[in-house]
Amino acid sequence: MSDYRRIADRIADDIATGRLRPGQRLPPQRAFARRRGIAPSTAGRVYGELVRRGLVVGEVGRGTFVRAAPDGPAGQALTEPGPAPAPVNLELNYPAAPGQPELLAPVLAPLLRPDVLAEALLPAAATGTEAAREAAAAVLTTPGWRPAPERLLFTGNARQAIAAVLASLVRPGGRVGVEQLTYPLVKEIAARLGITLVPLAGDTAGLLPEAVAAAHRSAPLSALYLQPTLHNPTSLTTGRPRLLQLAQLLHDLNLPVVEDRIWSFLREPGDPLAVHAPALTHVVDGLSKRVAPGLTAGFLVVPPHRVAAVADAVRSGGWSAGRFALEAAVRWAGEGTVARLVAAKRADAARRQRILAEELAGFAVRSDPASYFAWWELPAPWRADTFTAAAAAHGIAVTPGPAFAVAPGHTPDAVRLGLGSAPEPDLRRALRTLAHVAARRAGDRTGP
């Protein structure tokens, strides 16, 4: 036991003194074992100990890389705690409009009356209540689409809605097509349901129909999962021409699709894919981003012939919405609170995008003026893991690009920046710090 720890101590010393630099790849474990004259199992313990200490990170298909080492002539380590006064989380993305509690509280007050509260604390069916269906239909309406209330179902949140739809559509072992970069929790949901995700190529207009067709020919897909509006993490929105192409392909293949519209409220209302393929599209949305994550409900708009099957999946999965949350949603929608919050958050997102543009000018950042997140393609020689570690050393949390990648080994050297949670002064300070870190390391040609 002490032998592998002593070896790990020596590697840690090499990292601390700069003999091993950020992003430098360690030899494969078997090669490491041969060089050190130790058993492969001991080498595995050494690498595991280095991971536990936060000094290295392993990437499937690529190897093990150093996370911490000195940088620059001053000898300061990239992961050495910086002077940042407080942590800033650009990983979470829970936007809150100014004055949001003051807007929400008056509408909730009537629910606290004993007679109303008794009703609100009863269990809720997957179909909710008639009032909840009408309210949700009003919230989701776009200029060219108003979902029929009888096609509305409810879950505890949008993540549960995704799980329920996939569980109802795909048997264990089935294949679901997704964008090459996708919502990380979809990967977790698929793993728990025994579903295989198939990454599909896209371009600047959105998912490529020919990529869907080719994947379906190689082995039939059971469904697609897409984010056509403000795709997470790239902020790409698929235009109407590409939506029409995809809809035609869905009809040709009779292929159902899960359309995640959780961020769509930030853009001027655009019609969903469901307008063009209503018999195949299952729309997922909710209140977590529009209103608040702590008291929310997930919305599902499903084809008429799928209502019973999806409702069964909601019940069997334990994904039903709380009745109190539905009652609150009805009141927030009916009183205009949701609409006011949407307007406030659109303005808030636009301000934050301006901060982003000012502080990261000159870097390769992909985003949308209406989005609460951005995709930063890092300058060479930065890698996603080492930059994430360097950001953490300055008290800033970001999401590394590999968290969104579906295919093993396809780990983009990029990070996603969530702009919605940090106060604006903290956001500006954090982005400015990250720009300095990125520029300093990018100019160091002695790196990996």
Side-chain angles (χ1 to χ4, degrees), residues 395-445:
I396 304 168
V398 299
T399 307
F404 300 90
V406 177
H410 291 72
T411 53
D413 289 322
V415 295
R416 194 203 71 166
L417 305 174
L419 310 178
S421 296
E424 289 183 34
D426 291 348
L427 174 64
R428 183 179 293 278
R429 172 173 57 82
L431 293 175
R432 185 168 298 172
T433 299
L434 293 178
H436 289 323
V437 171
R440 181 182 65 190
R441 190 67 180 91
D444 179 4
R445 298 305 174 191

Side-chain angles (χ1 to χ4, degrees), residues 66-80:
V66 175
R67 295 188 70 171
D71 175 61
Q76 182 183 15
L78 279 176
T79 53
E80 183 177 314

